[in-house]
Structure formats: C-alpha cells, structure tokens
Amino acid sequence: MSNKDMPTRSGPPIVDRMREAPPSADRRQFLRSSIAVAGAAVATGASIGGANAQKLEIPPSNKEPGRILEPKVYGLPSKYEAHVKRNRTDVFVNRQNLSDWSMTPLQHQHGIITPNGLIFERHHAGIPDIDPAKHVVALHGMVKQPLKFTMDDLLRYPATSKFHFIECSGNGLTDWKKNASKTVQQTHGLLSCAQWTGVPASYLLEAAGVDVSKGKWVLCEGADGSAHARSIPIEKMMSEAMIVYAMNGEMLRPENGYPVRLFIPGWEGNVSIKWLRRMKVGDQPWHLRSETARYTDPMPNGKWRQFSFAMECKSVITRPSGGMKMQGKGHYEIEGFAWSGNGKITAVDITLDGGKTWREARLEDPILDKCLTRFRYSWDWDGGPAKIASRAVDSTGYVQPTVADIEKSRAIVGFVQHHNAIFPWSIEPDGEVKNAIA
Ligand SMILES: Nc1nc2c(c(=O)[nH]1)N[C@H]1C(S)=C(S)[C@@H](COP(=O)(O)O)O[C@H]1N2
Ligand SMILES: [Mo]
C-alpha cells in the first residue's frame, strides 16, 4: 500500500484514552465494576459471604495422594484441555492431504507464545522424516568458498534467540468479503508466535565469503517432497534471517522444519523454508512457481505484484470471538493480538459499534519487534447487540486498514493473499458471537 492510500486514525474520534492512564487506574475500574454487580451471580465470581454463607467443601483431591510421577516422560496438557487442538480449515475441503494446513486455536492461547504442539502447519507435500545425523545444509553459488554444514557444525556457531510471529500469507483468505469461517482459529489461525533459536544467516554467508555487491539474491530450498524454494534478497539474509533449529526451548517439531529451517522475521511464512537443504547465492531472483503462479497479489490494473514479502500491521480480537457465547451482561475483558512485519505495535483501538467510535486498548508488555503483542480492554457489556473490532498501529505509523482501504491499491478477486484488514465480530441479541464480515 502506498503512503497516500494509508488510512489514518483521524476520522472517528477516540473516545477513551485508557492506555494513557496509569495501569492501576484500569484495575480500579475493573474492581469498581465488579463491586457494582457483587451480590448478583456474575461472570466475575459469585458471592459466598453474608446471607449466602456456606461451608467451603473439601474436594476429593484433598483427601488422597495424587498420581505418582513417571520417571521419564514428555509432559502433556491436562485431559480437560483435549479440545485445544490445531484444526484443518473447515472452509476448503482438500481433495488430497499432501498440500495441507492446520490452524492455531488462538482463542485458547494465553500470553503471546504459541505452545509447540499448537503452532500452525503449512506444507506442500507432507512432512518429511529427516535424520539430523545425516542432514546437511549446502551454501553455494556466488561465494568464494562453497560450504556444507552438518547439524553439529551449525550447533557450534554462535546462536541467537528471538521472539517473532509467523503468519502464512493465506491467513484469512476465505473471509475477505463474505463470512465463511466461524471461529478465530479458522479466520486467523495461520498465525503463531515462538522464540526461535539458531544461527544468524549472515554468519554462514560471511564464512563462505559472500560479496554482497554482486550476490543480490539467495535461493533457499527445502528437503521435502515439494522441494519448496524461494529467492530472498541478500539484505534480508544479511540482516535478520536465521538458520533456526529450535523453537520455544526445544528442537523444532518435524512439522515445523526439523532439524533446521530458514526463518525470516516479519515476512510471509512461505519464505521461511522448512527442512532447509541448500542456499545458493545469485545476482537475480529465480522467478520460481512460488514467485509467479503463487504468492503474488492482484492489482487494480489487472497485473499481479510479485514479492509482497512483509506481513503488514494487523490485529484481531480473540475473546470474545466467533463461536463463543456471552454469559449475561456485565464486565468482560476484550482481548486479542496485534502484530506487524514492519516493526513494533504502538497502539490498538477497539470499536464496540462497528467502527463509528474507537477507544484505546491497553498493550501488555513485552512489546517486541515483529512479534505478537497482546491488547486488552475492559468492557461493561449492556447485554445489547454490538459489533466489535480492533485496529492496530505500528511503529512506522501504518494504521491497519479496512477492506475498502485495501481496495484502493489492490484488486480483491477470488482467494487473495495478504489479508490484513480490520475484522469484526457481532454480539447477537442472544449473546452468540459471530463472524460479522458483510
Ligand atoms: N520446505 C518447505 N518449506 C515451507 C513450506 C513447505 O511446504 N515446504 N511451506 C511454507 C509455508 S506456505 C508457510 S506459511 C510456512 C509455515 O511454517 P509452519 O508450518 O512451521 O507454521 O512454511 C513455509 N516453508
Ligand atoms: Mo504459507
């Protein structure tokens, strides 16, 4: 999107500057609203004192020892959390299972880190089984000294760990103009966030003697059945790209690129080549199928744009969100995620009336570069219908657009990629929360 088409936050007034207030003020507001409703049974806890006084039961778990630990085990979530799963899309019915994807249950995520068993998956030809003892990453092309690295070699390089989101450019592609998906998992679940550990790609490129005035692009290719590959500009390879082997403190999961993947912060997930096998330095891009027939964006003039790498600023409310039901009027915490592939989140606004008025949400620390940022807003729901949405602003000044804003610079035809528009949920009179894309 060019600067002149950039939406601004002027227009509808921001009626509530909550973010400016000291953190304790918000807690006071929460306490005030829960005190105001105490006595009635409300979502924030029922009264057990006074006239309702009753004995606090001793539960069976207090009366006997628990299950003994297993001496060696990889821990799993409680059986009561078995509903928290990655799900395939419920919109596209795949005819085959090789090019497939499963989505993160964002409505069940707490904090900003996605647990490893819930990081979304996207692969073009299934998940390969790669023995790390046999795996080699080659670095060749326009370098002084072509090199190959075993996993042991890679683990000897100085490593770095960074918190970043990963988002597929196809995230939300079914819900541009009509609502197709019910839950936030289905509308936004090709999005996850992890702490990534690995070697800065620049260390390997420098070891091979790259000349950045000549070698301008790097072909990165996977060892999977699709041999998925992309051409990456050398500047990004030398500045932020990582050769990643671990995710949230443990080695990568097979589905996320075990034993080693490329990771490019802030850019469409497609460039973060999993099961990385080789990097070849050249003086121009390769114009692969993944850069011509796929991962391009239609423009209003009928042409298609190549190399739309950065995932632009975006946000979504995860609670309340589609498929949930409000439990009667009173206090609710609206919360969600904001992120930008171009920097940090600086503000998130919330609307409760379909975009007529906006109020500022609180951003929760840490607020990191190209990382999920959690926002919250304390809401006294009057029990009536509402249309809620969030709008994020990033450190470049970019404001998350509406679909109409995006249409000024792009054509929205069919299943378009790079959907970062403001996303509404409706609260129906019966309290059901629904996808409210018109
Ligand atoms: N080798 C290989 N790398 C790949 C892919 C693939 O199919 N093969 N899919 C890409 C796509 S489209 C995305 S969105 C991300 C998804 O990464 P994840 O499965 O770890 O979430 O991996 C990318 N890297
Ligand atoms: Mo993707």
CSV table of all heavy atoms in Angstrom, one decimal, residues 120 122 124 167-170 190 268-270 295 417, ligand 2:
chain,number,residue,atom,x,y,z
A,120,PHE,N,0.8,-23.4,14.0
A,120,PHE,CA,0.1,-23.9,12.8
A,120,PHE,C,1.1,-24.6,11.8
A,120,PHE,O,2.3,-24.4,11.9
A,120,PHE,CB,-0.5,-22.7,12.1
A,120,PHE,CG,0.3,-21.8,11.2
A,120,PHE,CD1,0.6,-22.2,9.9
A,120,PHE,CD2,1.0,-20.7,11.7
A,120,PHE,CE1,1.4,-21.4,9.0
A,120,PHE,CE2,1.8,-19.9,10.9
A,120,PHE,CZ,2.0,-20.3,9.5
A,122,ARG,N,1.8,-25.7,7.7
A,122,ARG,CA,1.5,-25.5,6.3
A,122,ARG,C,2.6,-26.2,5.5
A,122,ARG,O,3.8,-25.9,5.7
A,122,ARG,CB,1.5,-24.0,5.9
A,122,ARG,CG,1.4,-23.7,4.4
A,122,ARG,CD,0.0,-24.0,3.9
A,122,ARG,NE,-0.1,-23.8,2.5
A,122,ARG,CZ,-0.2,-24.8,1.6
A,122,ARG,NH1,-0.2,-26.0,2.0
A,122,ARG,NH2,-0.3,-24.5,0.3
A,124,HIS,N,3.5,-28.3,1.6
A,124,HIS,CA,3.1,-28.5,0.2
A,124,HIS,C,3.2,-30.0,-0.2
A,124,HIS,O,2.6,-30.3,-1.3
A,124,HIS,CB,3.9,-27.6,-0.7
A,124,HIS,CG,3.6,-26.2,-0.6
A,124,HIS,ND1,4.2,-25.4,0.4
A,124,HIS,CD2,2.8,-25.3,-1.2
A,124,HIS,CE1,3.7,-24.2,0.4
A,124,HIS,NE2,2.8,-24.1,-0.6
A,167,GLU,N,3.3,-15.9,10.1
A,167,GLU,CA,2.0,-15.9,9.6
A,167,GLU,C,2.0,-16.3,8.1
A,167,GLU,O,2.9,-15.8,7.4
A,167,GLU,CB,1.4,-14.5,9.7
A,167,GLU,CG,-0.1,-14.4,9.2
A,167,GLU,CD,-0.7,-13.0,9.3
A,167,GLU,OE1,0.1,-12.0,9.3
A,167,GLU,OE2,-1.9,-12.9,9.2
A,168,CYS,N,1.1,-17.2,7.7
A,168,CYS,CA,1.0,-17.5,6.3
A,168,CYS,C,0.3,-16.4,5.6
A,168,CYS,O,-0.6,-15.8,6.1
A,168,CYS,CB,0.2,-18.8,6.2
A,168,CYS,SG,-0.1,-19.4,4.5
A,169,SER,N,0.8,-16.1,4.3
A,169,SER,CA,0.2,-15.0,3.6
A,169,SER,C,-1.3,-15.4,3.2
A,169,SER,O,-2.1,-14.5,2.9
A,169,SER,CB,0.9,-14.8,2.3
A,169,SER,OG,1.0,-16.0,1.5
A,170,GLY,N,-1.6,-16.6,3.3
A,170,GLY,CA,-3.0,-17.0,3.1
A,170,GLY,C,-3.9,-16.9,4.3
A,170,GLY,O,-5.1,-17.3,4.2
A,190,LEU,N,-3.7,-19.2,10.9
A,190,LEU,CA,-2.4,-19.4,10.2
A,190,LEU,C,-1.4,-18.4,10.8
A,190,LEU,O,-0.7,-17.7,10.0
A,190,LEU,CB,-2.5,-19.4,8.7
A,190,LEU,CG,-3.4,-20.5,8.1
A,190,LEU,CD1,-3.6,-20.3,6.6
A,190,LEU,CD2,-2.8,-21.9,8.3
A,268,GLU,N,6.1,-13.1,4.9
A,268,GLU,CA,5.1,-14.1,4.8
A,268,GLU,C,5.8,-15.5,5.1
A,268,GLU,O,6.9,-15.7,4.7
A,268,GLU,CB,4.5,-14.1,3.4
A,268,GLU,CG,5.5,-14.2,2.3
A,268,GLU,CD,4.9,-14.1,0.9
A,268,GLU,OE1,3.7,-13.8,0.7
A,268,GLU,OE2,5.7,-14.3,-0.1
A,269,GLY,N,5.0,-16.4,5.8
A,269,GLY,CA,5.6,-17.6,6.2
A,269,GLY,C,6.2,-18.5,5.1
A,269,GLY,O,7.2,-19.2,5.4
A,270,ASN,N,5.7,-18.3,3.9
A,270,ASN,CA,6.2,-19.0,2.8
A,270,ASN,C,7.7,-19.0,2.5
A,270,ASN,O,8.3,-19.9,2.0
A,270,ASN,CB,5.4,-18.6,1.5
A,270,ASN,CG,5.7,-19.4,0.3
A,270,ASN,OD1,6.5,-19.1,-0.5
A,270,ASN,ND2,5.0,-20.5,0.3
A,295,TYR,N,1.6,-16.8,-4.5
A,295,TYR,CA,2.2,-15.8,-3.6
A,295,TYR,C,2.4,-14.5,-4.3
A,295,TYR,O,3.4,-13.8,-4.0
A,295,TYR,CB,3.5,-16.4,-2.9
A,295,TYR,CG,3.1,-17.6,-2.2
A,295,TYR,CD1,3.4,-18.9,-2.7
A,295,TYR,CD2,2.4,-17.6,-1.0
A,295,TYR,CE1,3.0,-20.1,-2.1
A,295,TYR,CE2,2.0,-18.8,-0.3
A,295,TYR,CZ,2.4,-20.0,-0.9
A,295,TYR,OH,2.0,-21.1,-0.3
A,417,GLN,N,-4.4,-13.2,-1.2
A,417,GLN,CA,-3.4,-13.4,-0.1
A,417,GLN,C,-3.3,-12.0,0.6
A,417,GLN,O,-3.8,-11.0,0.2
A,417,GLN,CB,-2.1,-13.8,-0.6
A,417,GLN,CG,-2.1,-15.0,-1.5
A,417,GLN,CD,-1.7,-16.3,-0.9
A,417,GLN,OE1,-0.9,-16.3,0.0
A,417,GLN,NE2,-2.3,-17.4,-1.3
B,2,MO,MO,2.0,-20.0,3.7
